Amino acid sequence: MRTWLVKSEPDVYGIDQLKKDGRTGWTGVRNYQARNTMRDDMKEGDLVVFYHSNAEPPGIAGLAKVVDAPIPDPTQFDKKSDYFDATSDKAEPRWVMAQLGFVEKFKALIPLDVLKADPKLAGLALLQKGQRLSVQPVSAPHFARILELAGAKTKSPAR
DNA sequence: GCCAACGTTGGC
DNA sequence: GCCAACGTTGGC
């Protein structure tokens, strides 16, 4: 299995909301690279780091996992949605959403400055300058380190 | 609220 | 196919 990171603004959809909902469709991704990751690479059972962006402070809040195959994102056809895409064809939807389930909320958020200061997380995509992708891969060693920093209940997956 | 970095759009 | 203009992201 592989591991991933998704970003969300906690004011829009945070880890607490995912905990409450149990699972959710990851709507609103309108970037081709992120879409391709969700469509082609994220598999059921993959673990996903849940990052709070535009937060005070920003940081890693918990874990989710992929619970099902991706399906078309309904907001692309919803005229009232911010994510409406008039050029997407219903017969061949342009945008998909990953199906994510709640795994755990960390006892404490791992703040961005801690992530940046950790030598073992050097190279993590999230920390690259100008990195704006909302869905990113996380290497197995980086993932294990994040679990360690968080004191996570979840065990690092076998490679 | 500012602004750097980036992706996308559209004129040519 | 280039690239300037624009909109968005997201840290600060």
Side-chain angles (χ1 to χ4, degrees), chain A residues 99-121:
Chain A
Q99 302 291 303
L100 298 185
F102 178 76
V103 174
E104 72 169 288
K105 179 184 177 179
F106 293 152
K107 290 188 293 288
L109 179 126
I110 314 172
L112 180 59
D113 54 5
V114 170
L115 301 173
K116 282 181 177 168
D118 192 312
K120 290 187 179 172
L121 292 178

